[in-house]
Amino acid sequence: MTIDTISKVTLKHIAETLGISITTVSRVLSGQARKYRISQETESFIRNLANELKFVPSQLARNLRLNRTTTIGLVIPDISNPYFAGIANKVTVEAHRNGYGVILCDSQGNIDMEIESIENLRSRNVEGLILCPVGQSGQHLKDYESNNYSIVLVDRYFAEMSLSHVASDNRNGSKIATNYLIDKGHQRIACLQGLHNTSTNEDRVKGYSEALSGHNIKIDTSLIAGDSFSEQSGYVETKLLLKKPRRCTAVLALSNLIALGALRAISEEGLKIPDDLSIISFDDQPYMAYLSPPMTTVAQENAEMGQIAVKMLFDRIRAPHTNPGGGILLPTHLVHRKSVKEISLI
Amino acid sequence: MTIDTISKVTLKHIAETLGISITTVSRVLSGQARKYRISQETESFIRNLANELKFVPSQLARNLRLNRTTTIGLVIPDISNPYFAGIANKVTVEAHRNGYGVILCDSQGNIDMEIESIENLRSRNVEGLILCPVGQSGQHLKDYESNNYSIVLVDRYFAEMSLSHVASDNRNGSKIATNYLIDKGHQRIACLQGLHNTSTNEDRVKGYSEALSGHNIKIDTSLIAGDSFSEQSGYVETKLLLKKPRRCTAVLALSNLIALGALRAISEEGLKIPDDLSIISFDDQPYMAYLSPPMTTVAQENAEMGQIAVKMLFDRIRAPHTNPGGGILLPTHLVHRKSVKEISLI
DNA sequence: ATGAAAGCGCTAACAA
DNA sequence: TTGTTAGCGCTTTCAT
């Protein structure tokens, strides 16, 4: 069974019907007529026939010969999460602007899928990789530290590894948010965590703790709960939190999904935001402004993240042997809306 | 400048260090040891060395030789729209389960970008194409009607063209929603349209009109407004609608973005949902349940859409010369929440 | 059970 | 100005 989805007209065809060499045809059709001073006549013969036959050069052959694919790989934990979709959007658009294609893999938040995706992508000879890692360790990326393969991490990084990366300054974002809550009179602030041992989570928890310490508020570890960046985790932990005796007055949700879960729990318990409870979420999304009430959030520059990631990757592809360049942390900022209430100190 | 982003270990390497032929190595490493009755010994020698050297077969060479890429193309108008992201998610996951890679293109809702993306993808020898078209005509897809290239349309289709497609039964979805509104006593129901002359829009408007006619309610064309599936359009049109003398009592928003825009306008006008105005939106999204108030929506099976699209595409890739198979319309259903109020008939 | 050789379609030294 | 030739790394007849 031949697949005729792929062009059948080749350089050879054209060369033979014109009675000239393949090389000459190649030169003309790859825009090097000038360089090799091919005669006007020959050139137009070739061009005409090529057009007539609707010749499309085989990228396949070209790729093999040139040993490049003008393709990069993108591994995302969940493309249907708008946060990651925003990154993916910018990555594909920027890559295309540079003549590159993007092969997308969805690791589904699963480390094994992530590893498999990376292998798959590599076997497809992508020239570089943009990865939003999901795991708690970067062991499987050890090989990429030696700078012989272009990879850049996005959103999360591994502090102990020297891989290029772009992420948000989560620590500061978290600190700003917590400080804001404290300014509004909150002292018992819960922190709904995501997956432990990820830079995202640890940095955010760190920022939270630092803000508290900075105001001489003792950190109550029972107020730091949760273990996954999911709606489910947000829901469960909030339920639990609300059962406790001395209830918190504010919640810092370390992701948009966690916040949605928290919202569900809070409304089930018949509590009103912000009157009964204040909340700040990470990840500003278009719909955040339309929630009940409009949600105050820590916004990340995720479009920029995608753009910078592509830029960094191309830098590495172009100069593979320079050292990995290290990482960039993008600023975060607080988007003030209505989910936080000023309370009087007790 | 050699790009060593690409594996250097080849069959030849292995064959030479082991002193056997490339053919044998190829047979073992492509899983044909059994078929060619390669000896246990030889096989394990090969396997061991391959592992040790971390041999990764060059898909490039393989593709050229086999004249296939095990890659499909996916063209999406905007990956950061969760509706499309849901489709993309399923498409990539399903494709991977079948050993296929997915090259993603974001057409940014722009027909020229769409055309360019399709060409780009074809020159990359993708075996088939999944396309969420953005245009109001399918002229640029004329070539694909002759069944020599595998393409399937998702979300929208062109009624006058015989291209395989999967979409939602938008007409019925719209009808159900409108009927529901009428049952709750609404007679003046506005319809916030998206891009005209797209199947999605026309079908939804049709369903809306049919429901009205079915209840002998005269269609007031001044109540059908808007021209783009955007937040902006939803906002502007709602603003305008609310200025009118005999105000509508309910709004049917033909997309999630339109609904968000409507929400913004409604709240600016100081109106309360559902007390002052009822609303139903298309596209159920996780956050819809957390809006103020929780939004009643017409849900589409977009995950299934992605899945079926891949299935259809593979059917076409496997049997390219059978006829295009036509289209599938997936059922839609109403998700009841709190944005609709029962009103007494005036 | 294994190998030699041809070739997928293209590019690029090297020649002429 | 054009052509010859040698591959890129793999699969696959056809031999043995």
Side-chain angles (χ1 to χ4, degrees):
Chain A
M1 180 192 71
T2 17
I3 294 173
D4 63 11
T5 57
I6 284 166
S7 163
K8 286 273 75 175
V9 188
T10 69
L11 291 183
K12 197 176 165 196
H13 273 269
I14 300 182
E16 278 172 0
T17 48
L18 250 37
I20 54 179
S21 80
I22 298 182
T23 312
T24 305
V25 181
S26 166
R27 284 175 177 147
V28 169
L29 265 16
S30 60
Q32 310 200 77
R34 206 57 189 285
K35 181 172 160 197
Y36 287 95
R37 328 178 80 221
I38 310 282
S39 73
Q40 272 299 329
E41 208 191 1
T42 321
E43 174 164 5
S44 57
F45 277 151
I46 295 173
R47 292 227 121 91
N48 290 339
L49 187 56
N51 285 337
E52 197 178 313
L53 264 36
K54 290 187 181 162
F55 169 77
V56 179
S58 164
Q59 286 289 341
L60 250 36
R62 205 150 197 282
N63 288 346
L64 177 59
R65 177 59 230 233
L66 265 26
N67 198 27
R68 57 199 305 257
T69 52
T70 54
T71 303
I72 61 171
L74 173 63
V75 184
I76 292 277
D78 176 15
I79 190 72
S80 53
N81 181 328
Y83 172 71
F84 292 116
I87 295 173
N89 176 284
K90 263 292 186 279
V91 168
T92 54
V93 170
E94 280 303 303
H96 276 280
R97 285 201 329 109
N98 287 272
Y100 272 69
V102 176
I103 301 186
L104 174 68
C105 289
D106 197 306
S107 65
Q108 299 172 81
N110 178 322
I111 183 70
D112 294 323
M113 281 288 296
E114 175 176 307
I115 293 171
E116 196 191 309
S117 297
I118 294 174
E119 275 173 14
N120 186 301
L121 251 10
R122 288 210 53 171
S123 84
R124 287 172 186 277
N125 300 285
V126 294
E127 293 180 31
L129 229 43
I130 293 182
L131 167 66
C132 300
V134 299
Q136 296 165 300
S137 129
Q139 273 316 305
H140 59 303
L141 302 173
K142 264 276 170 249
D143 288 351
Y144 299 97
E145 279 191 305
S146 52
N147 48 14
N148 56 6
Y149 193 77
S150 307
I151 189 169
V152 2
L153 265 34
V154 176
D155 180 54
R156 296 187 200 164
Y157 58 92
F158 300 101
E160 71 281 12
M161 296 179 80
S162 62
L163 297 166
S164 301
H165 62 267
V166 215
S168 288
D169 187 347
N170 287 304
R171 182 164 150 197
N172 195 45
S174 195
K175 197 165 178 176
I176 295 170
T178 310
N179 277 337
Y180 177 72
L181 254 9
I182 297 172
D183 285 350
K184 293 291 179 187
H186 296 273
Q187 299 265 347
R188 289 189 61 73
I189 303 169
C191 175
L192 295 173
Q193 292 191 87
L195 184 62
H196 300 186
N197 298 319
T198 59
S199 64
T200 325
N201 192 66
E202 303 310 310
D203 289 353
R204 290 175 188 175
V205 172
K206 206 174 287 170
Y208 159 87
S209 304
E210 283 173 4
L212 255 30
S213 306
H215 288 80
N216 297 314
I217 299 172
K218 193 157 164 289
I219 291 161
D220 179 347
T221 54
S222 74
L223 250 31
I224 305 178
D227 55 12
S228 144
F229 288 109
S230 64
E231 201 269 357
Q232 171 74 1
S233 173
Y235 173 75
V236 172
E237 300 299 338
T238 306
K239 276 287 211 189
L240 259 26
L241 233 29
L242 297 179
K243 299 287 184 219
K244 298 220 170 114
R246 283 184 58 223
R247 205 158 66 199
C248 53
T249 62
V251 170
L252 177 65
L254 299 193
S255 91
N256 56 350
L257 257 23
I258 292 176
L260 251 27
L263 251 33
R264 181 154 64 98
I266 293 166
S267 100
E268 274 185 22
E269 296 296 318
L271 264 27
K272 280 285 175 208
I273 300 172
D275 294 331
D276 301 321
L277 197 61
S278 294
I279 180 168
I280 294 183
S281 167
F282 262 82
D283 307 330
D284 195 45
Q285 296 296 332
Y287 66 82
M288 289 289 191
Y290 305 100
L291 292 174
S292 157
M295 177 85 78
T296 296
T297 60
V298 178
Q300 307 181 59
E301 323 256 337
N302 63 343
E304 276 74 7
M305 246 162 74
Q307 202 163 341
I308 291 175
V310 173
K311 178 84 176 55
M312 286 177 92
L313 186 62
F314 284 149
D315 284 351
R316 293 209 56 66
I317 288 175
R318 281 186 212 107
H321 290 295
T322 55
N323 72 10
I328 292 183
L329 255 32
L330 262 29
T332 49
H333 65 276
L334 203 57
V335 177
H336 296 272
R337 285 197 275 254
K338 311 238 164 93
S339 61
V340 175
K341 187 189 170 196
E342 172 137 27
I343 62 175
S344 50
L345 295 162
I346 308 154
Chain B
M1 180 191 70
T2 18
I3 295 173
D4 61 13
T5 57
I6 282 164
S7 163
K8 286 272 77 174
V9 187
T10 69
L11 291 184
K12 197 174 164 197
H13 272 269
I14 300 183
E16 277 172 1
T17 47
L18 249 37
I20 54 178
S21 78
I22 298 182
T23 313
T24 304
V25 180
S26 166
R27 282 174 177 147
V28 168
L29 264 17
S30 61
Q32 309 202 76
R34 208 56 188 287
K35 182 173 160 195
Y36 286 95
R37 328 177 81 223
I38 310 283
S39 73
Q40 273 301 328
E41 207 189 1
T42 321
E43 176 165 3
S44 56
F45 278 153
I46 296 174
R47 292 227 122 91
N48 289 340
L49 188 55
N51 284 338
E52 196 178 313
L53 263 37
K54 292 190 181 157
F55 169 76
V56 180
S58 163
Q59 286 290 340
L60 249 37
R62 202 147 200 281
N63 287 346
L64 177 60
R65 176 62 227 237
L66 267 24
N67 197 30
R68 59 200 303 258
T69 52
T70 53
T71 303
I72 62 172
L74 173 63
V75 185
I76 293 276
D78 176 15
I79 191 70
S80 54
N81 181 326
Y83 172 71
F84 292 117
I87 294 174
N89 175 283
K90 263 289 187 282
V91 168
T92 53
V93 171
E94 280 303 302
H96 275 279
R97 287 203 324 110
N98 287 272
Y100 273 69
V102 176
I103 301 187
L104 175 68
C105 289
D106 197 306
S107 66
Q108 299 173 81
N110 178 321
I111 183 69
D112 294 322
M113 280 290 295
E114 175 177 308
I115 293 171
E116 195 192 308
S117 297
I118 294 174
E119 275 172 13
N120 186 298
L121 251 9
R122 288 211 54 170
S123 85
R124 287 173 186 277
N125 299 288
V126 295
E127 292 180 32
L129 230 42
I130 292 182
L131 169 66
C132 300
V134 298
Q136 295 165 301
S137 129
Q139 273 316 305
H140 59 302
L141 302 173
K142 264 276 170 251
D143 287 352
Y144 299 96
E145 281 191 305
S146 56
N147 47 15
N148 57 6
Y149 194 78
S150 308
I151 189 169
V152 1
L153 266 33
V154 176
D155 181 54
R156 297 186 199 164
Y157 56 94
F158 301 102
E160 71 283 9
M161 296 180 81
S162 64
L163 297 167
S164 301
H165 61 267
V166 218
S168 286
D169 188 348
N170 287 305
R171 183 166 150 196
N172 195 46
S174 195
K175 197 167 181 176
I176 294 171
T178 311
N179 277 336
Y180 176 73
L181 254 9
I182 298 171
D183 286 351
K184 293 290 180 190
H186 296 273
Q187 299 264 348
R188 289 189 62 74
I189 302 169
C191 176
L192 295 174
Q193 291 189 87
L195 183 62
H196 300 186
N197 298 319
T198 59
S199 63
T200 325
N201 192 68
E202 302 311 309
D203 290 352
R204 289 174 188 176
V205 172
K206 206 174 286 168
Y208 160 85
S209 304
E210 283 174 4
L212 254 29
S213 306
H215 287 81
N216 297 313
I217 301 172
K218 191 157 166 291
I219 292 162
D220 178 347
T221 52
S222 74
L223 251 31
I224 306 179
D227 55 12
S228 144
F229 289 110
S230 63
E231 200 268 357
Q232 170 75 359
S233 173
Y235 172 76
V236 172
E237 300 300 338
T238 305
K239 275 287 211 188
L240 257 27
L241 233 29
L242 296 179
K243 299 286 185 219
K244 296 218 171 120
R246 283 184 57 223
R247 205 160 64 199
C248 55
T249 61
V251 170
L252 178 65
L254 299 194
S255 89
N256 55 351
L257 256 23
I258 293 176
L260 250 27
L263 249 34
R264 180 153 66 98
I266 293 167
S267 98
E268 275 187 19
E269 296 297 316
L271 265 27
K272 278 284 173 206
I273 299 173
D275 294 331
D276 303 320
L277 197 61
S278 292
I279 181 168
I280 293 183
S281 166
F282 262 80
D283 309 329
D284 195 46
Q285 295 296 334
Y287 66 80
M288 290 287 190
Y290 305 100
L291 293 173
S292 158
M295 177 83 77
T296 297
T297 60
V298 178
Q300 307 182 61
E301 322 258 336
N302 64 342
E304 275 75 7
M305 247 161 73
Q307 201 163 343
I308 290 175
V310 173
K311 179 86 176 54
M312 286 176 93
L313 185 62
F314 284 148
D315 285 351
R316 295 208 56 66
I317 288 175
R318 280 186 211 106
H321 290 293
T322 54
N323 70 11
I328 292 183
L329 256 31
L330 262 29
T332 48
H333 66 276
L334 202 59
V335 178
H336 297 272
R337 286 196 274 254
K338 311 237 163 96
S339 62
V340 175
K341 185 191 173 196
E342 173 138 28
I343 62 173
S344 50
L345 294 162
I346 309 149

